[in-house]
Amino acid sequence: MRGVIITGPPKADLAEVDVLAGLGVATVHEAMGRKGSLGSRLRPIQQGAAIGGTAVTALCWPGDNLMIHAAVEQCGPGDVLVVSTTSPSRDGLFGELFATALRRRGVRGLVINAGVRDVKALRDMGFAVWSAAVSAQGTVKATAGSVNVPLVVEGEVIRPGDAVLADDDGVVCVPREQVSTTVSAARARTEKEAAARAAFEAGELGLDRYGLRETLSTLGVEYLTFEEYEKRSGT
């Protein structure tokens, strides 16, 4: 495999990425038309962390973290390192020493479609990680990969400079060209949810607010008393 390290890719506006991070992964995913989610396999190693940043990508071979070392050099303030492998791997490609180097460079966290280790140390130092596995299995540094090339993670394409958001609900990627429009859509969704929350707190039902009684009727769902149900079911 012939590798490349791409320098200086275009990036999403970090101020807008920060706005999206504050709105949350689920809201942003919905605002994009339920797109961009990296699914349920990538899970946080900590609770309560919520980050957003611009992607620096690293493509590694399974059991080999050479290209993470190369990616660290390309990382800067506001970035999120995104790592994947050329074929499935659950080895512990990333640990405390990498996190120490990345934190020094202002990196906000890691999303890795493989394994991490030194989990307690990562939690204690407050370095946020979303991973596919936790594994003590070590790695080598022997095989060429690439840095700042597009990756496919759980079916989603992540390019260098795209916005990557992560919290307790998972990870979502917003293409860098769509960040501004997604901010507007996510804010509108947040306002809509606030209005619904107030209505529910006042006692309104979702059945009425969203017109779902008609939906139930259209689907043939009936309301029966207990006695009617027993009579109909023959019990």
Side-chain angles (χ1 to χ4, degrees), residues 177-194:
E177 302 89 349
Q178 297 178 25
V179 167
S180 293
T181 56
T182 303
V183 166
S184 298
R187 279 175 167 163
R189 181 172 181 83
T190 298
E191 293 172 1
K192 182 179 179 181
E193 289 180 346

Side-chain angles (χ1 to χ4, degrees), residues 72-194:
V72 170
E73 183 183 28
Q74 302 305 314
C75 289
D79 286 333
V80 172
L81 180 59
V82 182
V83 179
S84 191
T85 51
T86 57
S87 60
S89 174
R90 299 179 71 81
D91 296 334
L93 271 65
F94 185 99
E96 175 199 1
L97 295 181
F98 273 137
T100 300
L102 289 174
R103 187 172 64 174
R104 173 66 177 80
R105 302 179 76 86
V107 174
R108 295 178 171 180
L110 170 77
V111 174
I112 181 168
N113 196 20
V116 297
R117 60 184 188 176
D118 303 332
V119 170
K120 182 180 185 303
L122 293 171
R123 290 173 181 156
D124 288 347
M125 67 190 295
F127 190 83
V129 172
W130 286 256
S131 71
V134 172
S135 174
Q137 177 65 45
T139 58
V140 299
K141 303 165 180 60
T143 313
S146 293
V147 174
N148 277 338
V149 297
L151 302 180
V152 177
V153 179
E154 300 297 307
E156 290 292 329
V157 176
I158 301 178
R159 302 167 305 160
D162 284 348
V164 175
L165 317 171
D167 60 23
D168 285 342
D169 288 334
V171 185
V172 68
C173 177
V174 182
R176 56 181 180 263
E177 302 89 349
Q178 297 178 25
V179 167
S180 293
T181 56
T182 303
V183 166
S184 298
R187 279 175 167 163
R189 181 172 181 83
T190 298
E191 293 172 1
K192 182 179 179 181
E193 289 180 346

Side-chain angles (χ1 to χ4, degrees), residues 1-4 59-61 64 66-67 86 141-146:
M1 176 180 178
R2 189 176 183 88
V4 295
L59 179 63
C60 300
W61 276 64
D64 191 312
L66 173 63
M67 300 315 293
T86 57
K141 303 165 180 60
T143 313
S146 293

Side-chain angles (χ1 to χ4, degrees), residues 14 17-18 20-22 50-54 78-80 108 163-166:
L14 193 56
V17 175
D18 288 343
L20 290 178
I51 66 168
T54 47
D79 286 333
V80 172
R108 295 178 171 180
V164 175
L165 317 171

